[in-house]
Amino acid sequence: MIITTWNVNSISVRLPHLIEWLKQHKPNVVCLQETKTVDEKFPEQELAEAGYSCEFFGERSYNGVAILSDRPMINVHKGFVGDGPTEAKRLIEAEIDSTYIINVYIPNGSHVGSPKYEVKLSWLQKLRDHINSRHDLSKRIILCGDFNIAPDDEDCYNPEQIKGTIMVSEPERSRIEEVRNLGFTDVFRLLNKEAGQFTWWDYRMGAFRRNMGYRIDHIWGSQCMADASKSVWIDKATRKLERPSDHAPLVAEFN
DNA sequence: ATGGTAGATACTCTA
């Protein structure tokens, strides 16, 4: 089973890249973030023609998550239990082939100490509570998406210079660590020990050209999924295309 | 310390 996570930064702008990518790589499951589209405008038909069924949970302009699958999806859930209709659309889950996929777009948090940063920290606690109360980590579980956190210093280009700033600050790292401690393994890190491997580069300052990136997109697996993990890679080629997303797809294959 | 770019929307916010 090949599982991909990709923050596309607008499904409508990136649809040609996505369709081409699906044809080239034939993943079984694709988790998308920042679709930035209401459900009525989600390109369900185009993706069905490419061989994928879709579950999506979007809103106008911001956020939005979706799961594409070439196999049937059951037990689909959207958002946290008890969320109101105006809550940001950042969480979607589905069971595919006896594997439960949790796709998240964790809040960016803007700047450390800002109101949005506090929202990020409380969202991370809600995520931990949600997984703890609703999921059994002895089963086949994947938690993936845009976490907006680089877990360790080797996951960013210049750790000393950006120490304490957004995506690397200690409070957000310790909260995502609490999620990991429920029983997840960072599948990328399990299979790839090299520092300086990134999934996101800012559009500004020629960041990609200078490889000023962060590893903030992740595929985490419960123990049995970690045991079944076979390979994992980042498709930097998509970041070199014309009008790219600022994130590259992260791909993992499981037995 | 600031600003740079991209996307959606509507003249600004988010990342």
Side-chain angles (χ1 to χ4, degrees), chain A residues 126-179:
Chain A
K126 275 174 89 168
L127 178 64
R128 184 198 57 185
D129 294 344
H130 171 86
I131 294 169
N132 195 34
S133 60
R134 293 181 51 89
H135 293 288
D136 177 357
L137 269 287
S138 69
K139 301 279 174 52
R140 293 168 62 88
I141 312 275
I142 291 288
L143 172 65
C144 68
D146 178 0
F147 289 15
N148 269 312
I149 297 172
D152 293 293
D153 281 353
E154 59 262 40
D155 300 321
C156 49
Y157 67 102
N158 57 351
E160 283 313 309
Q161 203 179 321
I162 61 176
K163 203 175 178 65
T165 63
I166 200 68
M167 299 190 287
V168 301
S169 73
E170 192 280 325
E172 54 191 307
R173 277 180 170 173
S174 65
R175 272 167 186 75
I176 200 67
E177 176 76 359
E178 284 177 34
V179 176

Side-chain angles (χ1 to χ4, degrees), chain A residues 4-252:
Chain A
T4 297
T5 180
W6 191 6
N7 179 324
V8 287
N9 188 18
S10 169
I11 183 80
S12 40
V13 173
R14 229 63 65 197
L15 191 60
H17 288 184
L18 176 60
I19 301 266
E20 181 56 32
W21 200 91
L22 295 172
K23 283 182 183 153
Q24 268 186 32
H25 299 285
K26 301 180 173 25
N28 304 105
V29 177
V30 182
C31 292
L32 303 176
Q33 303 86 35
E34 284 205 90
T35 52
K36 296 187 173 179
T37 306
V38 292
D39 291 348
E40 294 70 33
K41 292 183 184 168
F42 194 89
E44 199 172 11
Q45 184 61 40
E46 292 90 331
L47 290 164
E49 284 162 16
Y52 291 85
S53 58
C54 308
E55 292 291 344
F56 37 86
F57 189 41
E59 61 184 273
R60 194 179 80 159
S61 304
Y62 307 115
N63 313 314
V65 284
I67 303 176
L68 319 184
S69 175
D70 66 355
R71 304 169 192 193
M73 285 189 265
I74 59 171
N75 294 327
V76 177
H77 292 281
K78 300 169 183 183
F80 291 124
V81 176
D83 274 356
T86 60
E87 200 64 47
K89 310 294 189 283
R90 297 180 176 276
L91 171 69
I92 188 167
E93 315 177 330
E95 186 182 337
I96 302 161
D97 220 5
S98 303
T99 301
Y100 210 81
I101 309 284
I102 307 168
N103 175 22
V104 294
Y105 174 46
I106 294 175
N108 169 279
S110 190
H111 296 283
V112 173
S114 70
K116 287 191 172 62
Y117 183 72
E118 297 307 316
V119 168
K120 182 179 199 174
L121 296 182
S122 55
W123 203 93
L124 286 161
Q125 285 179 311
K126 275 174 89 168
L127 178 64
R128 184 198 57 185
D129 294 344
H130 171 86
I131 294 169
N132 195 34
S133 60
R134 293 181 51 89
H135 293 288
D136 177 357
L137 269 287
S138 69
K139 301 279 174 52
R140 293 168 62 88
I141 312 275
I142 291 288
L143 172 65
C144 68
D146 178 0
F147 289 15
N148 269 312
I149 297 172
D152 293 293
D153 281 353
E154 59 262 40
D155 300 321
C156 49
Y157 67 102
N158 57 351
E160 283 313 309
Q161 203 179 321
I162 61 176
K163 203 175 178 65
T165 63
I166 200 68
M167 299 190 287
V168 301
S169 73
E170 192 280 325
E172 54 191 307
R173 277 180 170 173
S174 65
R175 272 167 186 75
I176 200 67
E177 176 76 359
E178 284 177 34
V179 176
R180 202 179 57 73
N181 285 339
L182 294 172
F184 289 106
T185 297
D186 178 343
V187 170
F188 183 88
R189 240 340 140 222
L190 177 67
L191 299 178
N192 191 326
K193 307 297 183 198
E194 235 178 285
Q197 305 208 74
F198 309 133
T199 63
W200 175 78
W201 303 261
D202 201 303
Y203 283 123
R204 299 165 291 189
M205 300 185 296
F208 183 65
R209 183 174 44 80
R210 296 152 71 187
N211 201 28
M212 297 166 65
Y214 291 69
R215 191 173 71 90
I216 58 175
D217 300 271
H218 303 285
I219 298 176
W220 287 3
S222 57
Q223 187 59 55
C224 57
M225 293 307 290
D227 293 341
S229 65
K230 202 167 138 189
S231 67
V232 61
W233 63 290
I234 300 162
D235 187 12
K236 284 178 76 171
T238 61
R239 191 65 176 76
K240 298 170 186 164
L241 298 172
E242 203 173 319
R243 278 190 101 185
S245 169
D246 45 353
H247 296 252
L250 172 67
V251 191

